[in-house]
Amino acid sequence: MSQNISSNNTEKIHFMLRSTPPRTTFHQDMTEDERSIMLEHISYWMDKQNQGIALVFGPVLNPSAPHGLAIIEVENEDQVPKLIAEDPAVIAGLMPTEFYPMKAIIKK
């Protein structure tokens, strides 16, 4: 996590979120309960995308290390742990998520 991100800046800041599935075959062999949680997870992040927070998100299908990836844009770093904590997949203990500051180049 970051120690040098300023919340006094009026510009939005960006973070990369990385979620780890419970197994490498997860996208192929989810249980019905896991699938239900993942549909809630997708809905949650689609809502954040509609709010302009999630710029892009989705699975990265690396055969040896699949994971979820999101690039988010927020006012300050304090928002990030709350966004992660409210994710249904995190609440269910299905997708632990870490985050890192990103120096994003955004065409405006």
Side-chain angles (χ1 to χ4, degrees):
M1 287 29 104
S2 168
Q3 294 116 10
N4 297 326
I5 301 294
S6 171
S7 59
N8 297 336
N9 191 345
T10 57
E11 301 240 352
K12 292 194 177 190
I13 55 177
H14 300 88
F15 290 85
M16 185 275 301
L17 282 57
R18 185 180 193 278
S19 300
T20 305
R23 56 193 173 277
T24 58
T25 57
F26 183 67
H27 70 282
Q28 299 168 321
D29 63 7
M30 283 182 238
T31 66
E32 287 302 316
D33 287 342
E34 290 170 335
R35 186 172 308 283
S36 177
I37 292 165
M38 292 309 292
L39 290 172
E40 291 177 35
H41 164 78
I42 292 166
S43 179
Y44 174 81
W45 286 106
M46 285 180 76
D47 180 58
K48 299 307 173 205
Q49 192 173 52
N50 291 336
Q51 294 175 33
I53 295 169
L55 302 180
V56 64
F57 70 94
V60 177
L61 303 178
N62 177 340
S64 63
H67 58 277
L69 178 76
I71 305 299
I72 64 170
E73 182 177 71
V74 293
E75 301 289 333
N76 63 67
E77 185 173 0
D78 295 338
Q79 293 174 267
V80 182
K82 184 177 186 310
L83 287 165
I84 292 170
E86 293 175 351
D87 179 339
V90 172
I91 292 168
L94 200 55
M95 299 280 283
T97 301
E98 56 193 6
F99 68 96
Y100 302 94
M102 181 178 179
K103 298 216 180 251
I105 309 299
I106 305 289
K107 182 178 179 180
K108 299 260 177 175

